[in-house]
Each structure stands twice: as structure tokens, then as C-alpha cells.
Amino acid sequence: MFDRSKPKTQAGPTPFHRSESFVPHGRRWKSHWLIYDNNGSFNGWFDWLPLWMRVGYWSPFVVVSLAFFYTALIKYKPSLEFQPSAIAKYGEETPYLMWMPKETMLDLAIFLWGVVVIIHAKVTLHSIAAFPISFTGWSWILLTLRAFFEFGSWLSISLGMKSLSTTLAVMGSSIRLAVITNACVVFTIWNFLLLPIITFVSMPRGERRQRFLKFNFGFFMTNIHLLNFPLAVVNILCGNRIREFSSSDLWVSYAVVMCYSIVYFGIMDRLGLHFYPIFCPRSNFCVLSIVGVLGLYYWLFLKWNELIATRVN
């Protein structure tokens, strides 16, 4: 009477549907969660992951956790205020090089280095399409933008453009906590958790593992996974322009996490891009990863302020 044949693809419906329903298969919405019929592995890059981690229904606990996080972040948004740290002491700082204070010169150097690393990756790797959609990529781009905004702020006020200078200074200041925390999280999780798991558990021995290790310790990956953290420390945790973080900074950091989680779970999962297996939405343990990251951000927020307080005082 009704067509009860199974779908030909293993992609399944969206992860929020029940696997069984009173609605006959023939009358169901034909949309599938996966954009490509690739068994959740874009270009075969993630065939090393078990199929259940790439295809199928999400854990309801993960769905509830994400919904709770998004709702709480929107509901408890504070009144956002940021000190324009880059120009707060304008005129009081001693010129270091080419009329620029040391902090401004460092901001310029970090910005230029951030751009150089991206250009080098584009030239040598030919394609870095995955970089802007990775959390590591977001971390590096935010680091580069923070330096650009604060250098641009100093340059603007030097040229008499006070309004633009204030705007750029506030923009740079608003992402300071996000920059240092993202860099710390990328540095820690990649080098001490994901890299060992991928290398010694998921990646088979032999030539494939050797190629992966060679790529991981190349110029590009060394910068975005190792040097990102020390570069983020400059003018945020050390220098004459440091300031303590407030609830506004914490909210922006969580907002960055929320935006990336929407990209990761809502777009990359559908494409079959699973850069971070510990955040597999089909596993109940993903809830622990989500709670762990949010708790880590808050703990680092407290620790950064403790460290800054000792330097300011």
C-alpha cells in the first residue's frame, strides 16, 4: 500500500528526525542531512573515522546542550563595553622605531606575519580552502585582525582621524580575550590531544603517517599550532597596554565559540568534514567536550585576569 523501501543513501534525514515515524516513507520530506552522498567523508579524507561518527542521527543530549548554550548566551548578554587600550596612553609612550612605540611596532609585525603565513600556505599548498572553516583558522585570523585593528588605531590617531581610531581600538580590544583563549585552546587541544590520537590511534603506520607528521611539523602548521599562542600573548598578557578582562570580553569569546559551533555542526558536518572527532554530535560524549570547552574558557578568563593583575599592580 505504501512504499516502505529504505533510502538508497546512508545519509539519512536531518539528525533531528526520529528514525521511525507514523508518516510513510513515500510521503516524507525528501531532503537529506548530508549535502553530498559521500558517507560523511569529504573526498574520502575521513574514511579513517567509524561510519557511525560520520552518518546518522545526532545524540539528543548534544542537541539539548547546544540549544541551552545558544539560548543562555543570547538571554544573558551584558552591556558591552571595551577600553580602547591601543590609544589609551597615546602621547605618553616612548617612540621605539620609526616614531612607533614598541607595542605598535609589535602589532604591525604580528599582522604582517599573520598575512605572510597565509600567503605562504596558499602558494605552497595551492589550496587552503579548509583553513578558514577550521577553528585553528579562525584563531589565526582573529589573532591577525586584532593586531591589524590596534595598529590601525594608533596610525589613525597619529593622522588625526580620532573617530576611526577609537572604532578600531574598540574592535581590537573587544576580541582580545577571544584571541588569547582561542590560541591557548588550539595550542593545547591540538598538540596534546588531537595530534597524538590522530597519529598513534587513527593513522596507520607507514608512509601515510610519515606524510602526516611531515605536514604537521612544516612551516604552516608549526605557525598556526605552535607559534599562535606566544604571538597571542603579545600586548594582551604582556606589555604596557594590557588590561583586565570583563564580562563583555567573556561574552564575546563565547559568541565566537557559538558562531563556530554553528558552522561546524550545521555546515561542516553536512559536508563530511570532521576536523575534531571529540565533537562528534552522534556521540553522547560530545556533551562532555562541549561542557569542557565552555568551562575551560571561563577558567582561563579567571586565570588570565589573575596573571594580568600581578603585572598591572
Side-chain angles (χ1 to χ4, degrees):
M1 182 170 61
F2 295 117
D3 180 12
R4 296 183 180 274
S5 59
K6 297 294 184 182
K8 294 182 179 180
T9 177
Q10 299 184 58
T14 67
F16 310 105
H17 285 103
R18 296 173 56 187
S19 58
E20 295 295 333
S21 171
F22 291 106
V23 180
H25 282 275
R27 296 183 182 179
R28 292 182 187 176
W29 187 28
K30 297 297 184 180
S31 176
H32 296 286
W33 179 246
L34 295 183
I35 295 176
Y36 303 112
D37 192 8
N38 57 8
N39 280 337
S41 178
F42 189 83
N43 282 344
W45 295 347
F46 300 93
D47 288 349
W48 54 273
L49 282 175
L51 184 62
W52 68 267
M53 295 183 69
R54 300 181 271 121
V55 173
Y57 301 99
W58 288 14
S59 164
F61 299 106
V62 174
V63 176
V64 171
S65 299
L66 291 175
F68 179 81
F69 169 49
Y70 298 162
T71 303
L73 188 66
I74 295 172
K75 182 177 181 180
Y76 295 105
K77 177 186 176 184
S79 177
L80 302 180
E81 297 180 0
F82 304 99
Q83 178 183 346
S85 305
I87 57 174
K89 298 180 180 180
Y90 181 77
E92 303 175 8
E93 298 170 316
T94 303
Y96 185 80
L97 181 67
M98 297 176 62
W99 303 284
M100 290 187 294
K102 182 186 295 185
E103 289 76 13
T104 300
M105 184 193 70
L106 290 172
D107 281 338
L108 175 60
I110 292 171
F111 164 64
L112 293 177
W113 185 252
V115 173
V116 166
V117 169
I118 295 175
I119 294 176
H120 178 273
K122 177 62 178 178
V123 171
T124 57
L125 302 177
H126 305 297
S127 176
I128 55 172
F131 178 70
I133 59 174
S134 69
F135 190 76
T136 302
W138 281 40
S139 174
W140 187 263
I141 291 171
L142 282 175
L143 183 154
T144 306
L145 285 176
R146 197 283 308 165
F148 168 74
F149 289 147
E150 299 205 343
F151 166 75
S153 173
W154 181 89
L155 181 62
S156 298
I157 199 171
S158 299
L159 298 175
M161 296 180 285
K162 294 183 179 180
S163 178
L164 176 61
S165 175
T166 301
T167 299
L168 291 174
V170 169
M171 291 174 65
S173 184
S174 68
I175 59 175
R176 282 188 166 205
L177 179 60
V179 167
I180 186 64
T181 305
N182 287 3
C184 181
V185 169
V186 168
F187 177 87
T188 304
I189 292 183
W190 175 260
N191 292 299
F192 300 104
L193 183 62
L194 292 178
L195 179 60
I197 291 176
I198 294 174
T199 303
F200 300 109
V201 178
S202 302
M203 195 70 63
R205 291 185 178 183
E207 184 180 353
R208 188 175 179 184
R209 180 185 291 184
Q210 293 301 319
R211 288 201 308 266
F212 171 74
L213 289 174
K214 182 179 179 180
F215 171 71
N216 182 74
F217 292 103
F219 176 81
F220 179 58
M221 296 288 277
T222 298
N223 271 277
I224 64 176
H225 285 141
L226 286 175
L227 296 183
N228 62 330
F229 187 37
L231 287 176
V233 168
V234 177
N235 285 349
I236 296 181
L237 296 183
C238 65
N240 295 324
R241 296 177 180 176
I242 62 175
R243 64 169 179 82
E244 292 190 18
F245 298 118
S246 66
S247 58
S248 296
D249 298 287
L250 183 62
W251 188 90
V252 170
S253 296
Y254 279 145
V256 171
V257 173
M258 181 185 73
C259 291
Y260 187 75
S261 69
I262 292 173
V263 172
Y264 187 75
F265 292 123
I267 299 177
M268 294 172 63
D269 187 71
R270 298 189 66 195
L271 292 171
L273 294 167
H274 309 281
F275 292 162
Y276 313 107
I278 61 173
F279 292 100
C280 171
R282 295 164 184 85
S283 169
N284 293 333
F285 290 104
C286 180
V287 176
L288 298 179
S289 298
I290 294 171
V291 173
V293 165
L294 297 180
L296 177 61
Y297 268 66
Y298 184 73
W299 182 79
L300 287 173
F301 163 71
L302 298 177
K303 292 303 176 182
W304 298 144
N305 274 344
E306 289 180 10
L307 178 60
I308 292 172
T310 61
R311 295 177 179 273
V312 171
N313 299 329

